[in-house]
Amino acid sequence: MNGEQRHDADAGSGVEDMEFSWDEYLEDTGAVAAPHGSFKHVDTSLQNGFAPGMKLEVAVKSDQNTYWVATIITTCGQLLLLRYDGYGEDRKADFWCDIMTADLHPIGWCEQNEKVLKVPEGIKDKIPDQEEFLQQVLKGACSAPANLLEGLHRGKNPLDLIAPGSRLELQNSRDALEAWIVNVVENVGGRLKLRYEGLEDSDKFDQWIFYLDPFLHQVGWATQNGYNLQPPLAIRSLKSEADWQEILKKVKKEEEESSVPTDLFKDKPVIGVHSFSEGMKLEAVDPTAPFVISPATVLKVYNEKYFMIEIDDLRPERASSQSYICHVNSAGIFPVQWSLKNGIHLSPPPGYPGQDFDWADYLKQCGAEAAPQSCFPSLTSDHGFKENMKLEAVNPVDPEEVCIATITKLRDSYLWLQLEGSKKPIPDCIVSVESMNIFPVGWCETNGYQLRPPCKAIVNKQKKIAVVQPEKQILSSRTVHDGLKNQELNSSDSVVINGKYCCPKIYFNHRCFSGPYLNKGRIAELPQSVGPGNCVLVLKEVLTLLINAAYKPSRVLRELQLDEEAAWHGHGETLKAKYKGKSYRATVEVVRTADRVADFCRKTCIKLECCPNLFGPQMVLDKCSENCSVLTKTKYTHYYGKRKNKRIGRPPGGHSNLEVAMKKPNKRRKKRKHFFVHKKKRSSTSVDNTPAGSPQGSGGEDEDDQDESELSHSLTQDQDKRKRKLRTFSFSDDENKPPSPKEIKIEVAEKLQLDSNPLEWSVADVVRFLKSTDCAPLARIFLDQEIDGQALLLLTLPTVQECMDLKLGPAIKLCHHIERVKLAFYQQFAN
């Protein structure tokens, strides 16, 4: 509702159509994309009418003549992930099905159609009394909508029901008590191009509005709510009153054929009651030119929901006024002094004497009062947007255009966007974070709409890349790209948002065990979820977030990289990592279809030695099905750690595509001294396998199966060395040698007397010990990282520095106390 006339496009634009790639653009500009989860309206538009927790009756696979009750675990377009009731938290039997082809029915269908409900064989022994079980699970249950499982709407995304030719009602932007019928000309991912009924041959007054706009309604809304159904003043003179009445009769006659289902608007924002009065002053953004904030006046109050605002203009000769309808949650209205408090320039009204605008003088001059703070909704800063992030945004001057946008400024819940590639240059636009005219990166491509490319192509600068092994064995991103073009992968297939390529929402379950490679604190800072959206784009964003949450991003990237000799079943994506001033990149395989997402997430978790439920399409609410909370870092590897020897120094020839941007040639590595564990004998070609960044140090592949008794025996062999007063530390032999002193000597001070064996200490015991020392402030880190007694005894100075981000001084002090515990262990418990 940003005006009733669409601005004419500039046909003489000199911008050439070119192939645009967001991935290349982000890499060239060094920018990041705004998170998908920040665009709530897009998230809502991808929902298919089914929701997790809904129940339905499904044909049993082993016996197609019988059915059983199943619960929806997650949804993705026309795909549902289901679990038969009776499996509880066991996800092993979860299965995907297509609404269009599967035998699915609402609850009660079997009884109505005399079909048999029978417990599947896999859970028969868990359900002794079928009738009692069904009464229990169906009590208060929500059935899947029958209209989405049967008939014409079966398997359709509700958004697809707004097809060209459908009719809706749109409230008048100049009079909230009036509405008129509009025809859908085009539906682009929920963004509708609308044309007033009666103007079929003219596009002069077409408007682009997202289907969740609070001013857009189903046909019949105006009559039901007591509003006038008549054409806007701007087009009323184009036809006679008799013609308009004839058009209205025709619409009512064809109402059933062209109407949109009512429940399609159930997710629309609810308009609340406002408390504005006529004559109140405020600050506002003109939606037709959202470039500045200006003084404004409440011109008219229609009812408890709607009021009109006019941008102040003091010129006596003004030809027209800038006025528009608002409600309590309308974007772009602020209390007096909001601009001043937020360091934003307030544009004085045209005709105001002088440039230094003062609200106190202005209110006195106008004899008006400022609208109180209570009239305005509270603004949120919890939205995920940050300065310099990239997104896609509608050009307010030409709504046909969707442009690349950069966030140049952030204030509360408002963004200042710089648009690139627009036909006519415009100033930065001011939009709300909840605006339905902003979209995530890739939205245009996903919905088949032309994104305006940048006016100037980004030139790739020559980069010096040092390859970790012979260049001929590198699987480069270009090789991957060319290979995919020759395969069956089609770019149009991979972005079908409502089909099998739609990835469900991926949840980060922060309570689950984070493993040796991922920093639990950084994992906790990740968004609750990513997606839904295109599988490749969503999974790439998820993996990038995980890499950045690692102790050593380069180490995690190496774990995830694609093995050239392995079977390739998915899509190759180039991911990047930065660590200690160096840049790494590798090709990582991601799946392309929704039915493989859950398995991909689980396998990736196991690869990173974390809980298999740490991230995936299922949200862990109270208790993890893997019961990972009872396992500590050193014990967890026994269940989910790797069992094979791997190299983490220089990758095996021909098996790695990891590249690193070179700064300096690698220096000769120092031989590592092992203090606490005597490792098994190695071949002359092997290298140290301890994963840098692992706080417990148990990630070394030679030590994966080492149990508590082996550790005690190894420590005993070093007992005599430990009794020395002087202790020499050696730095970890990893690929990124820290710029620290070569050797640091620490004198072990007073003798420590322990009441219990530190091998048996829990995380709480470790925290209790640290709080008794002068390193008490660091106890929180040990608690967050779940470091128990075994892990404590394996800590070294390098791992303390890397894993806990400590400077050398505090790290040495902490290691001093760890050494005291080790010495006491040798003296009291090692024998």
Side-chain angles (χ1 to χ4, degrees):
M1 264 180 68
N2 295 345
E4 292 165 336
Q5 291 191 1
R6 182 174 62 82
H7 293 265
D8 294 332
D10 181 12
S13 172
V15 180
E16 297 179 2
D17 289 337
M18 63 185 76
E19 185 179 347
F20 174 78
S21 166
W22 262 117
D23 284 343
E24 293 178 7
Y25 179 80
L26 292 174
E27 182 176 353
D28 291 338
T29 58
V32 295
H36 282 251
S38 297
F39 304 86
K40 296 178 182 177
H41 60 297
V42 176
D43 196 357
T44 302
S45 72
L46 297 175
Q47 296 174 6
N48 60 2
F50 297 93
M54 286 183 175
K55 294 186 183 293
L56 29 70
E57 294 173 356
V58 187
V60 177
K61 289 185 178 181
S62 58
D63 185 358
Q64 293 294 320
N65 295 320
T66 63
Y67 296 80
W68 189 241
V69 176
T71 301
I72 298 175
I73 303 302
T74 191
T75 68
C76 181
Q78 65 187 45
L79 299 178
L80 302 178
L81 181 64
L82 303 178
R83 181 183 302 162
Y84 286 122
D85 282 16
Y87 276 97
E89 294 298 318
D90 186 0
R91 59 188 290 180
K92 293 177 183 175
D94 291 2
F95 59 97
W96 287 93
C97 64
D98 191 324
I99 302 168
M100 295 296 290
T101 58
D103 196 358
L104 309 175
H105 306 279
I107 297 297
W109 179 87
C110 285
E111 184 179 358
Q112 295 169 8
N113 294 273
E114 298 180 353
K115 298 293 183 180
V116 179
L117 277 174
K118 184 179 177 182
V119 183
E121 288 294 328
I123 50 175
K124 206 170 185 179
D125 55 343
K126 296 182 180 180
I127 305 175
D129 190 331
Q130 175 176 312
E131 295 301 322
E132 183 182 347
F133 177 80
L134 286 175
Q135 287 181 3
Q136 191 176 10
V137 298
L138 295 179
K139 186 178 180 180
C142 177
S143 174
N147 67 313
L148 296 179
L149 293 170
E150 303 163 350
L152 295 174
H153 296 169
R154 178 179 179 179
K156 284 192 175 182
N157 187 310
L159 193 60
D160 295 336
L161 301 178
I162 312 178
S166 300
R167 289 191 175 104
L168 299 165
E169 288 182 2
L170 180 64
Q171 281 179 268
N172 193 333
S173 61
R174 303 283 178 172
D175 189 340
L177 302 181
E178 293 182 357
W180 187 241
I181 302 101
V182 287
N183 279 287
V184 177
V185 177
E186 196 174 348
N187 180 355
V188 181
R191 188 167 180 256
L192 310 178
K193 185 176 184 180
L194 303 174
R195 184 169 297 166
Y196 285 117
E197 187 72 37
L199 301 184
E200 289 77 9
D201 299 328
S202 173
D203 61 358
K204 185 178 179 181
F205 297 93
D206 286 1
Q207 300 179 62
W208 283 93
I209 295 177
F210 203 75
Y211 82 105
L212 293 174
D213 191 292
F215 289 97
L216 195 61
H217 313 278
Q218 73 273 17
V219 171
W221 175 87
T223 304
Q224 294 168 11
N225 291 273
Y227 290 77
N228 299 323
L229 192 60
Q230 58 181 353
L233 194 60
I235 67 170
R236 202 173 297 171
S237 61
L238 299 178
K239 292 183 183 293
S240 66
E241 183 63 27
D243 289 340
W244 289 120
Q245 290 303 316
E246 195 64 33
I247 290 170
L248 200 52
K249 287 179 184 179
K250 176 190 172 186
V251 170
K252 289 182 178 179
K253 187 178 179 181
E254 301 173 354
E255 186 173 334
E256 290 187 7
E257 299 175 11
S258 59
S259 62
V260 172
T262 306
D263 58 356
L264 187 64
F265 298 96
K266 62 181 174 56
D267 296 314
K268 271 201 329 180
V270 177
I271 296 178
V273 177
H274 72 82
S275 54
F276 287 93
S277 301
E278 287 186 15
M280 283 183 172
K281 294 287 185 182
L282 64 157
E283 297 180 359
V285 175
D286 181 359
T288 61
F291 312 122
V292 295
I293 301 176
S294 309
T297 305
V298 178
L299 190 64
K300 184 178 181 179
V301 173
Y302 292 94
N303 52 29
E304 62 180 11
K305 288 188 175 181
Y306 303 106
F307 55 96
M308 177 180 279
I309 279 181
E310 181 181 53
I311 303 296
D312 286 1
D313 189 339
L314 305 181
R315 294 174 297 183
E317 72 281 1
R318 63 175 181 170
S320 61
S321 62
Q322 292 294 329
S323 57
Y324 55 98
I325 304 300
C326 289
H327 52 82
V328 67
N329 293 319
S330 286
I333 56 174
F334 313 94
V336 162
Q337 304 287 12
W338 185 87
S339 296
L340 181 64
K341 292 175 182 176
N342 287 276
I344 303 297
H345 174 69
L346 182 68
S347 180
Y352 182 79
Q355 288 298 313
D356 297 329
F357 181 82
D358 181 77
W359 261 115
D361 292 343
Y362 186 64
L363 289 173
K364 188 176 180 180
Q365 175 186 337
C366 298
E369 62 171 336
Q373 181 72 45
S374 59
C375 291
F376 302 87
S378 56
L379 301 179
T380 177
S381 56
D382 183 20
H383 43 65
F385 292 105
K386 295 180 181 178
E387 284 188 12
N388 299 318
M389 280 183 170
K390 300 286 183 178
L391 58 145
E392 298 176 4
V394 174
N395 183 348
V397 176
D398 184 358
E400 288 273 355
E401 288 185 359
V402 180
C403 303
I404 296 168
T406 305
I407 301 174
T408 58
K409 194 186 300 180
L410 263 170
R411 293 294 186 274
D412 287 334
S413 55
Y414 285 86
L415 313 173
W416 273 251
L417 300 180
Q418 181 184 62
L419 302 187
E420 297 182 43
S422 57
K423 294 174 183 176
K424 295 179 180 179
I426 59 172
D428 287 6
C429 309
I430 305 171
V431 300
S432 165
V433 295
E434 296 181 350
S435 168
M436 297 184 194
N437 282 328
I438 58 175
F439 305 95
V441 161
W443 183 86
C444 280
E445 181 186 6
T446 297
N447 291 284
Y449 196 77
Q450 178 63 49
L451 175 71
R452 294 289 301 174
C455 291
K456 295 181 180 179
I458 301 294
V459 179
N460 287 319
K461 295 181 179 179
Q462 192 70 25
K463 298 178 181 178
K464 292 184 178 179
I465 299 293
V467 181
V468 186
Q469 85 281 338
E471 186 174 357
K472 64 181 180 180
Q473 295 171 344
I474 288 291
L475 183 62
S476 68
S477 59
R478 178 53 56 191
T479 304
V480 173
H481 178 73
D482 294 340
L484 289 174
K485 277 191 172 181
N486 295 326
Q487 295 182 14
E488 63 178 5
L489 174 63
N490 183 291
S491 60
S492 61
D493 290 340
S494 63
V495 295
V496 177
I497 200 66
N498 296 324
K500 66 178 181 178
Y501 298 103
C502 171
C503 182
K505 186 178 289 188
I506 303 297
Y507 295 96
F508 289 104
N509 297 307
H510 302 135
R511 296 181 182 179
C512 288
F513 180 76
S514 57
Y517 303 130
L518 303 176
N519 185 311
K520 189 174 182 68
R522 294 175 191 165
I523 289 290
E525 294 173 358
L526 295 181
Q528 185 179 19
S529 64
V530 173
N534 175 263
C535 276
V536 172
L537 296 178
V538 170
L539 293 177
K540 183 177 180 181
E541 182 176 350
V542 168
L543 295 180
T544 300
L545 289 171
L546 288 173
I547 289 170
N548 293 334
Y551 294 109
K552 288 185 63 177
S554 58
R555 181 70 176 91
V556 170
L557 184 60
R558 192 184 299 278
E559 286 296 316
L560 297 175
Q561 69 180 340
L562 179 67
D563 190 336
E564 285 186 56
E565 293 186 356
W568 192 359
H569 303 292
H571 174 81
E573 280 292 327
T574 300
L575 298 184
K576 296 179 291 184
K578 289 187 177 181
Y579 182 67
K580 291 191 174 180
K582 295 182 180 179
S583 296
Y584 301 81
R585 67 175 63 194
T587 301
V588 175
E589 181 182 8
V590 295
V591 297
R592 294 176 48 232
T593 56
D595 57 338
R596 298 177 59 203
V597 168
D599 185 57
F600 171 82
C601 293
R602 187 175 180 86
K603 287 181 177 177
T604 303
C605 286
I606 293 174
K607 190 182 290 185
L608 297 179
E609 300 182 32
C610 59
C611 173
N613 291 335
L614 180 66
F615 68 94
Q618 185 176 11
M619 179 189 293
V620 175
L621 298 175
D622 298 318
K623 187 177 180 182
C624 174
S625 60
E626 302 290 339
N627 204 25
C628 66
S629 61
V630 302
L631 299 168
T632 61
K633 283 187 178 290
T634 48
K635 294 177 183 176
Y636 198 84
T637 307
H638 175 72
Y639 297 94
Y640 291 106
K642 300 181 178 65
R643 301 287 177 168
K644 60 183 180 179
N645 287 339
K646 291 191 71 177
R647 299 164 61 95
I648 69 165
R650 186 175 294 276
H655 287 276
S656 174
N657 51 64
L658 189 65
E659 301 177 5
V660 56
M662 178 176 287
K663 285 193 173 181
K664 295 181 180 179
N666 289 335
K667 295 182 180 179
R668 185 176 179 180
R669 296 176 179 172
K670 294 171 63 177
K671 183 178 179 181
R672 176 169 180 159
K673 300 176 184 177
H674 302 286
F675 301 134
F676 313 131
V677 180
H678 288 292
K679 294 192 177 182
K680 300 171 187 176
K681 190 174 181 180
R682 306 181 182 187
S683 66
S684 59
T685 57
S686 67
V687 296
D688 179 27
N689 291 334
T690 305
S694 173
Q696 80 281 13
S698 64
E701 284 73 5
D702 288 334
E703 305 168 47
D704 278 343
D705 300 319
Q706 185 175 29
D707 60 18
E708 194 171 300
S709 61
E710 286 178 287
L711 178 62
S712 177
H713 177 69
S714 304
L715 291 169
T716 306
Q717 293 180 1
D718 253 355
Q719 181 176 359
D720 294 335
K721 297 180 182 179
R722 292 290 176 181
K723 291 182 179 179
R724 294 181 300 175
K725 289 186 178 181
L726 291 178
R727 183 78 197 98
T728 303
F729 287 93
S730 174
F731 289 100
S732 157
D733 178 20
D734 61 25
E735 61 193 22
N736 292 291
K737 181 179 171 184
S740 309
K742 292 183 179 179
E743 290 186 338
I744 301 173
K745 293 189 176 182
I746 303 173
E747 185 171 349
V748 179
E750 69 278 5
K751 184 178 178 180
L752 181 66
Q753 192 67 29
L754 299 178
D755 296 329
S756 59
N757 189 337
L759 280 177
E760 300 171 356
W761 282 4
S762 65
V763 175
D765 294 330
V766 172
V767 170
R768 195 176 301 114
F769 166 73
L770 285 172
K771 286 185 175 179
S772 67
T773 70
D774 57 354
C775 289
L778 303 179
R780 166 57 63 181
I781 301 177
F782 281 71
L783 182 63
D784 291 341
Q785 303 298 336
E786 300 174 357
I787 298 176
D788 61 2
Q790 293 184 45
L792 181 74
L793 292 175
L794 291 169
L795 287 179
T796 63
L797 181 60
T799 53
V800 163
Q801 281 186 279
E802 290 182 5
C803 303
M804 301 180 184
D805 292 328
L806 296 179
K807 293 183 179 179
L808 186 58
I812 291 175
K813 185 186 290 186
L814 175 61
C815 286
H816 165 69
H817 292 293
I818 295 173
E819 287 302 297
R820 293 175 62 212
V821 175
K822 292 174 184 175
L823 183 59
F825 166 79
Y826 286 117
Q827 294 174 337
Q828 293 179 237
F829 303 101
N831 291 328

